[in-house]
């Protein structure tokens, strides 16, 4: 082989190695899962997380536990209990994969649902109508008119808590066909979860119960970016604060925030939006203190706490300890993948792939990635683009904070 050709091949090989290692691709190579893991930045906490997985043993145990919970509640119903409740909370009434408590939906009959769809490809619920465990929805063979409404009510909530918002909308629409309005609020929530704000607002405007659904109205207007209309409709302090922050009325928003009571998670997001980072971190700790590490929104509080530390320049050891505790203790359900991203165990591309099917997950991911990049002063144009996408969905706390921090 001619010497010049050998040198050319060697030069090409070196160029490919440098390009693949990120030397040429910086700062973009780290976004992609093809980027070699051994060349990514080391894990933020120095310790690997516990990824969400569902072993056959866990799945079997979940089925057994949810059935026991169903029988427990059925016995309460036989004793004419007005309110059904899980009276023995603990490891026997929680999903063994996520650690989250089961949910109950009632309309005379009831279903017990494993929340946040932790079992890939399987729906785990217990239906009191047949007193049986189900892996797929089963409609009773004979139903009268009230039975059909009950069927659609139970199925709509089961779909909603399983993140199947399209099915939730279909079941809720059956109420409207029957000239019934009981499911209007759930229908609006399901449409908002799909990002269909205009359609959700139309449902609100046509609902005979709209006087009882002010939160639905405010959320629709926030999603559509109609913030002045929110302020004109005598909103709650939370929705008022959100609208004021979107309108860049920061002084008014700070005053409104003082009126918010018993919503530490929202306060954390609002304080983050106002760039009051140490206070935001304290509110995140309050969420954990009040509800425990297994509360449903513990993961969100951990994310905001870590971002507040990074943006506020808190000691690295403090942030590492907080994130590591979250990785060890938080529910193994969304937004746990975001914690793994913050720990540098999965890359941006992998996180966005996981989040892709659900609007709220996409917004939370865009918000987190954007702020994490800005905190490191890295790839800022891309970070601002992600935050702009999140800010386009006004119903979410993340969208509100993204709008403010973009400035």
């Amino acid at each position: 082989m001619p010497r010049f050709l050998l040198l050319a091949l060697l030069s090409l090989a070196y160029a490919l190695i440098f390009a693949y290692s990120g030397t040429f691709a910086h700062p973009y190579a780290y976004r992609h899962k093809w980027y070699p893991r051994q060349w990514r930045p080391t894990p933020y906490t120095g310790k690997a997380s516990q990824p969400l997985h569902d072993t056959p043993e866990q799945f079997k145990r979940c089925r057994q536990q949810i059935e026991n919970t169903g029988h427990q509640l059925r016995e309460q119903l036989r004793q004419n209990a007005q309110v059904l409740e899980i009276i023995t909370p603990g490891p026997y009434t929680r999903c063994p994969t996520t650690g989250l408590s089961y949910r109950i939906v009632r309309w005379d009959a009831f279903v017990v649902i494993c929340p946040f769809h932790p079992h890939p490809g399987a729906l785990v619920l217990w239906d009191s109508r047949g007193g049986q465990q189900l892996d797929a929805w089963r409609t009773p063979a004979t139903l009268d008119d009230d039975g059909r409404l009950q069927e659609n009510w139970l199925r709509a909530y089961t779909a909603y808590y399983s993140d199947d918002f399209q099915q939730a909308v279909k079941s809720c629409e059956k109420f409207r066909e029957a000239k019934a309005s009981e499911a209007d609020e759930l229908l609006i929530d399901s449409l908002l979860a799909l990002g269909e704000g205009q359609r959700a607002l139309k449902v609100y405007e046509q609902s005979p119960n709209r006087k009882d659904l002010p939160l639905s109205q405010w959320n629709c207007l926030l999603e559509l970016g109609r913030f002045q209309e929110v302020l004109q409709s005598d909103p709650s302090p939370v929705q008022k604060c959100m609208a004021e922050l979107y309108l860049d009325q920061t002084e008014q928003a700070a005053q409104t925030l003082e009126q918010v009571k018993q919503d530490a998670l929202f306060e954390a997001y609002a304080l983050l939006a106002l760039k009051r980072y140490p206070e935001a971190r304290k509110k995140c700790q309050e969420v954990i203190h009040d509800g425990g590490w297994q509360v449903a929104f513990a993961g969100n509080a951990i994310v905001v706490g870590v971002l507040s530390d990074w943006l506020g320049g808190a000691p690295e050891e403090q942030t590492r300890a907080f994130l590591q505790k979250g990785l060890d203790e938080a529910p193994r359900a969304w937004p746990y993948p975001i914690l793994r991203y913050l720990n540098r165990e999965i890359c941006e591309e992998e996180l966005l792939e996981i989040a892709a099917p659900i609007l709220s997950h996409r917004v939370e991911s865009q918000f987190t990635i954007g702020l994490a990049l800005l905190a490191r002063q890295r790839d800022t144009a891309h970070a601002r683009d992600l935050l702009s996408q999140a800010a386009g969905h006004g119903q979410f706390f993340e969208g509100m904070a993204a709008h403010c921090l973009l400035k």
Side-chain angles (χ1 to χ4, degrees):
M1 179 183 294
R3 185 175 180 180
F4 77 89
L5 184 57
L6 179 60
L7 290 174
L9 289 173
L10 286 172
S11 298
L12 178 61
Y14 279 120
L16 290 173
I17 290 171
F18 285 135
Y20 189 57
S21 68
T23 304
F24 292 162
H26 181 81
Y28 310 113
Y30 71 92
R31 298 182 194 170
H32 303 290
K33 58 188 175 185
W34 54 260
Y35 189 75
R37 289 183 182 274
Q38 64 268 30
W39 290 337
R40 290 181 188 173
T42 55
Y44 184 75
T45 66
K47 181 180 176 182
S49 68
Q50 302 176 42
L52 173 64
H53 63 280
D54 189 30
T55 65
E57 292 76 18
Q58 286 174 314
F59 182 65
K60 181 179 179 181
R61 205 166 109 220
C62 182
R63 286 172 52 87
Q64 293 172 340
Q65 290 176 186
I66 207 167
E67 186 168 3
N68 292 339
T69 303
H71 286 302
Q72 176 192 130
L73 297 171
R74 201 179 193 193
E75 185 59 32
Q76 293 178 34
L77 199 61
R78 285 174 179 162
Q79 296 172 4
N80 297 317
Q82 296 299 311
V83 178
L84 294 183
E85 58 181 350
I86 300 175
I87 58 176
T88 56
Y92 300 107
T93 53
R94 292 174 179 265
C95 173
T97 302
T98 63
L100 292 170
S101 296
Y102 297 127
R103 289 184 179 267
I104 310 163
V105 179
R106 182 181 179 185
W107 179 319
D108 294 333
F110 66 91
V111 292
V112 183
I113 308 164
C114 191
F116 299 107
H117 208 54
H119 311 291
L123 176 64
V124 180
L125 65 96
W126 191 87
D127 191 337
S128 72
R129 293 173 298 181
Q132 59 185 329
Q133 173 76 49
L134 300 178
D135 293 320
W137 190 265
R138 192 176 306 163
T139 301
T142 304
L143 294 172
D144 56 16
D145 290 343
D146 187 65
R148 280 191 288 272
L149 285 178
Q150 180 186 88
E151 161 77 5
N152 289 311
W153 177 268
L154 298 177
R155 186 166 190 178
Y157 270 99
T158 299
Y160 184 82
Y161 288 131
S162 299
D163 293 331
D164 187 355
F165 303 116
Q166 293 284 3
Q167 179 58 57
V169 168
K170 290 178 183 177
S171 297
C172 289
E173 290 284 7
K174 298 294 184 181
F175 277 79
R176 306 191 82 201
E177 294 172 9
K179 308 299 183 185
S181 58
E182 290 91 336
D184 283 354
E185 183 175 12
L186 180 59
L187 176 57
I188 292 169
D189 289 344
S190 300
L191 289 169
L192 286 173
L194 293 168
E196 298 188 35
Q198 194 63 54
R199 188 176 165 193
L201 183 60
K202 186 176 180 180
V203 172
Y204 166 79
E205 292 170 343
Q206 294 176 348
S207 175
N209 298 332
R210 58 181 175 273
K211 290 184 179 180
D212 299 324
L213 304 175
L215 182 60
S216 298
Q217 178 195 21
W218 301 327
N219 285 337
C220 289
L221 293 174
L222 286 169
E223 178 65 11
L224 294 170
R226 293 158 61 172
F227 307 119
Q228 286 289 1
E229 293 179 55
V230 174
L231 296 181
Q232 294 166 4
S233 62
D234 191 25
S236 71
V238 168
Q239 276 66 39
K240 183 181 180 184
C241 185
M242 291 180 72
E244 289 169 341
L245 285 171
Y246 268 109
L247 293 169
D248 300 325
Q249 299 174 5
T250 52
E251 292 185 9
Q252 297 94 317
Q255 294 174 4
T256 302
L257 184 58
E258 295 177 1
Q259 303 170 22
V260 175
K261 305 296 182 185
Q262 297 180 333
D263 197 336
L265 184 63
F266 170 75
E267 292 178 79
Y269 277 98
L271 290 165
L272 180 67
L274 291 167
K275 303 180 180 66
R276 292 158 56 178
Y277 303 123
E279 294 175 75
R281 174 65 149 76
K282 287 181 180 178
K283 283 295 175 182
C284 295
Q285 291 175 306
E286 188 177 315
V287 173
I288 303 299
H289 179 268
D290 292 346
W293 289 94
Q294 286 292 314
V295 71
F297 294 104
N300 300 91
I302 297 162
V303 170
V304 175
V306 170
L307 294 175
S308 298
D309 276 357
W310 280 352
L311 291 167
E316 288 289 306
E317 295 76 14
Q318 170 184 303
T319 314
R320 287 193 185 103
F322 187 59
L323 178 58
Q324 185 59 63
K325 185 69 172 176
L327 289 164
D328 290 341
E329 302 292 341
R332 303 298 187 270
W334 187 268
Y336 195 79
I338 294 183
L339 302 185
R340 299 191 68 217
Y341 168 79
L342 292 173
N343 201 38
R344 304 175 188 171
E345 293 180 67
I346 61 175
C347 67
E348 175 182 324
E349 182 181 15
E350 290 169 309
L351 177 59
L352 292 176
E353 282 182 358
I354 295 169
I358 300 171
L359 174 62
S360 63
H361 295 182
R362 295 198 301 272
V363 171
E364 291 172 47
S365 299
Q366 292 161 350
F367 168 77
T368 303
I369 295 168
L371 283 191
L373 291 175
L374 287 184
R376 299 172 188 145
Q377 297 182 344
R378 185 177 187 182
D379 204 359
T380 54
H382 177 57
R384 293 178 65 83
D385 179 59
L386 290 171
L387 290 172
S388 295
Q389 293 179 53
H393 295 283
Q395 63 175 307
F396 298 109
F397 297 166
E398 291 84 3
M400 169 196 73
H403 167 83
C404 295
L405 295 170
L406 267 171
K407 298 178 295 181

